[in-house]
Amino acid sequence: IGEKYMAENENVKISFNFDSSGKLYTQITEGAVCDLFISTAPKQMNQLDGTLKDDAEKNPDGLDLLVAGSRIDLLENKVALAVAEGNDSFDKLADLLKNGDVMLAIGNSDVPVGQYTQKIFKFYDIDENAIAAKLTYDSNVKEVTTAVSEGTVDCGIIYASDAYSAGLTVAATATAEMCGQVIYPAAVLNTSEHQDAAAAFLTYLQGAEASAEFEAVLF
């Protein structure tokens, strides 16, 4: 999408920085140069949202780093149970974990995919500490995806888009009841020196051309 946009707007250069939302949030709060932030969960965006600065739960540090009115919900993804081959389900996974019969890769608790996983465990009344020997933890969803792809685990909980990109089988996707919706908010930062250009690209990301690219890997 960025390459297409730059081809159509030769005066714009877009530099991407991909990492877990938690790490990106930390980089932003520590002063990293950033014009546009896209998070894989509302939590990290809420922590930067000045309209929530009086909400101690959502924005505990009272930060105000977003351009007013720029925040949107850009995308929705799905939390997926990915396996290298074969098939499974979250119901069966829960039984296997409780019986100690499967090795599962998950994200750390400080990244969104790990937080969604914890909600799934709670939905199935799974004690994470009790199954710790059957879990491997990774610092971002890409590392979980790699563990599944390389066969070092039996399965992993990642996003449907990552499973698609890695050519992995999606055994099941989690429902909103299990872990909530996977919303990707986006906003322009008020510390940016290129707010107009960032806003223009964000508008493009909501258009038909960009949407077609997103849909190709999300559905």
Side-chain angles (χ1 to χ4, degrees):
I1 293 172
E3 290 174 356
K4 288 185 177 181
Y5 187 79
M6 286 186 285
E8 298 170 8
N9 299 269
E10 296 181 356
N11 62 322
V12 176
K13 176 176 174 56
I14 303 171
S15 298
F16 292 97
N17 179 24
F18 297 103
D19 213 319
S20 71
S21 298
K23 288 186 178 179
L24 294 175
Y25 163 80
T26 298
Q27 290 171 17
I28 290 170
T29 58
E30 291 180 349
V33 176
C34 179
D35 303 300
L36 176 64
F37 177 42
I38 302 175
S39 175
T40 56
K43 177 181 178 180
Q44 286 74 21
M45 193 67 74
N46 290 343
Q47 292 171 328
L48 302 172
D49 193 338
T51 65
L52 301 172
K53 62 184 178 181
D54 294 327
D55 189 327
E57 182 178 351
K58 293 183 177 180
N59 188 349
D61 296 321
L63 298 178
D64 184 5
L65 295 179
L66 307 184
V67 171
S70 71
R71 179 175 176 172
I72 62 163
D73 288 339
L74 180 62
L75 298 165
E76 180 180 1
N77 208 335
K78 296 291 184 183
V79 174
L81 174 60
V83 295
E85 59 183 17
N87 199 7
D88 213 328
S89 69
F90 277 108
D91 289 347
K92 185 176 179 181
L93 173 67
D95 291 336
L96 291 171
L97 283 172
K98 290 175 181 179
N99 294 331
D101 295 329
V102 69
M103 184 63 70
L104 174 70
I106 65 174
N108 291 334
S109 61
D110 63 339
V111 298
V113 74
Q115 292 155 10
Y116 289 124
T117 299
Q118 289 181 325
K119 291 179 181 179
I120 292 172
F121 286 169
K122 184 177 180 180
F123 178 83
Y124 283 104
D125 195 26
I126 295 172
D127 182 347
E128 186 175 344
N129 292 326
I131 62 168
K134 292 298 181 179
L135 300 176
T136 64
Y137 292 88
D138 293 294
S139 61
N140 57 56
V141 72
K142 296 296 184 186
E143 292 181 2
V144 179
T145 304
T146 298
V148 180
S149 297
E150 294 181 348
T152 57
V153 293
D154 299 309
C155 51
I157 296 178
I158 58 177
Y159 297 119
S161 56
D162 289 281
Y164 175 93
S165 298
L168 294 173
T169 299
V170 173
T173 55
T175 64
E177 182 183 9
M178 292 164 62
C179 65
Q181 290 180 281
V182 184
I183 299 298
Y184 287 20
V188 179
L189 296 186
N190 58 24
T191 54
S192 166
E193 296 181 359
H194 310 284
Q195 293 181 23
D196 290 343
F201 183 54
L202 182 54
T203 297
Y204 179 80
L205 291 177
Q206 300 170 71
E209 190 170 14
S211 293
E213 295 286 345
F214 286 132
E215 289 174 2
V217 298
L218 288 174
F219 302 104

